[in-house]
Amino acid sequence: MRKTLLGMGALAAAALFAGAANAQQGPIKIGLILPYSGQFADAATQMDNAIKLFVKENGDTVAGRKVEFIRKDTGGIAPDVAKRLAQELVVRDGVDILAGFVLTPNAMAAGDVSDQAKKFMVVMNAATSIITTKSPYMVRTSLTTPQLNQALGEWAVKKGGVKKAYTMVSDYGPGLDAGGAFSLGFKEAGGELIGEVKMPVANPDFSAFVQRAKDLNPEGIYIFVPGGAQPGALGKALAERGIDARKTKVMGQLEIADEHAIKAMGDAALGIITASHYDYAHKSAKNDAFVKAYNAAYNRNPDFFSVGGWDGMQLIYDTLKKTGGKTDAQAMVDAAKGSKWESPRGPISIDPETRDIVQTVYIRRVDKVDGKLLNVEIDKVENVKDPVKERMKKK
């Protein structure tokens, strides 16, 4: 109890110190908490690359104040570490804003610090719906898992021609959330689930799971597995068992058909349908410029981690302009609510009630374009809010 009280006292004192520094118009300090090492290091790199590119293109001064970054590495899924780093950033480093957060557990833990220390916090990726309820000073610029997957479930029935589906999801939080959201949208739209399976997260052998799906002969198969090596392995298992995504609709969240996954699958990826909020192949002048600049700077394409970081910085800069450079958390969150802008992904806004992102969900299909496998947008659902919070508001 004594440590807790001391910690809260230090956080409160730090908040007062930050207010005094703000009055003196010193630099605006942003604490970035990301998994710079470990298995999620590339996600952190992609996000931080976009943050650096934004500052390069928009300058390191906003509302007359210099912007400085202090970067902290969680090393992976480490909520205790994330919370400690957030406390250090507030107490020792005197940051004005907390940002980053690739992973849900880390964002949830840092949310406690945002709440206690009254610090504006921008979640640039972590996608579990409830994250933004952890602090009234938190805003998200990425996505929520239900936002994509419930929209996909509804689309599958209403426009995709799928009346009977089978779900295959990894047996951990994000997989269960994604599968649950798809199933809810699918059933509410009139579809029938003829079976489901929960697969182990670590090193699964997909062959038996795929064979079971094939035996049931569904019109559609919904899949959620973690990004990285697993989407490619699962795609190959589908091909080996004779499941052609151009005949049986194979559907999922964007990770199962990201740039690296479809490269690993080859032509077995053709026909896979995904719900996504961003892809480097999205056609718009804003995105064309973003992809060109990103490739020039880093010799690779941006991804959804990148666009979350880019839009997170856009929100921070726009909010600081509205507050005249003041970093008081309440003033910043009030200024952020209802914000709207044109992102590389399309038009987005911040829901003033939930502080969560409102955006277009794109329905994509893997096609071959000029000899190259690409995600081609075949439909879209506009102005999608997080459906979990929408249900909460109705209760």
Side-chain angles (χ1 to χ4, degrees), residues 250-272:
V250 176
M251 303 169 286
Q253 190 170 289
L254 71 164
E255 289 92 340
I256 71 164
D258 71 13
E259 181 182 7
H260 305 292
I262 59 179
K263 184 178 180 180
M265 291 184 216
D267 285 355
L270 286 168
I272 292 178

Side-chain angles (χ1 to χ4, degrees), residues 38-76:
Q39 64 175 315
F40 301 101
D42 190 62
T45 297
Q46 285 286 78
M47 183 180 289
D48 206 2
N49 280 348
I51 291 169
K52 292 172 184 175
L53 181 62
F54 184 92
V55 174
K56 178 182 177 182
E57 293 200 351
N58 293 275
D60 62 358
T61 301
V62 59
R65 298 181 64 188
K66 186 93 167 177
V67 176
E68 296 180 355
F69 294 90
I70 302 173
R71 292 169 165 86
K72 297 291 184 179
D73 178 20
T74 62

Side-chain angles (χ1 to χ4, degrees), residues 66-257:
K66 186 93 167 177
V67 176
E68 296 180 355
F69 294 90
I70 302 173
R71 292 169 165 86
K72 297 291 184 179
D73 178 20
T74 62
I77 300 174
D80 291 344
V81 174
K83 187 170 186 175
R84 174 176 57 78
L85 293 175
Q87 290 172 330
E88 290 177 0
L89 284 165
V90 170
V91 175
R92 186 179 65 192
D93 299 306
V95 300
D96 303 290
I97 299 166
L98 296 169
F101 307 105
V102 164
L103 303 159
T104 286
N106 297 353
M108 296 279 282
D112 291 336
V113 179
S114 166
D115 184 20
Q116 293 175 9
K118 294 181 172 58
K119 292 293 178 181
F120 188 62
M121 177 172 164
V122 181
V123 174
M124 297 175 172
N125 182 69
T128 301
S129 176
I130 64 169
I131 291 173
T132 52
T133 67
K134 293 289 287 184
S135 169
Y137 311 111
M138 190 191 300
V139 181
R140 176 160 38 196
T141 60
S142 51
L143 74 155
T144 79
T145 300
Q147 187 178 49
L148 297 189
N149 290 285
Q150 187 168 326
L152 178 61
E154 294 172 357
W155 180 90
V157 177
K158 294 178 179 179
K159 294 189 176 182
V162 179
K163 304 302 181 186
K164 294 184 178 183
Y166 184 78
T167 66
M168 303 170 57
V169 303
S170 297
D171 192 10
Y172 76 130
L176 300 178
D177 285 350
F182 174 86
S183 297
L184 179 61
F186 189 75
K187 289 187 287 188
E188 286 187 344
E192 177 189 353
L193 291 176
I194 61 173
E196 63 179 5
V197 65
K198 297 178 178 64
M199 303 176 291
V201 179
N203 304 313
D205 178 357
F206 293 116
S207 56
F209 300 116
V210 171
Q211 186 62 51
R212 173 60 175 159
K214 183 181 179 182
D215 291 344
L216 290 170
N217 194 31
E219 296 168 341
I221 301 171
Y222 172 83
I223 296 168
F224 182 97
V225 293
Q230 289 197 27
L234 198 147
K236 290 178 180 178
L238 290 169
E240 289 169 358
R241 290 296 183 276
I243 295 178
D244 187 337
R246 290 167 291 187
K247 298 175 182 177
T248 301
K249 284 189 168 63
V250 176
M251 303 169 286
Q253 190 170 289
L254 71 164
E255 289 92 340
I256 71 164

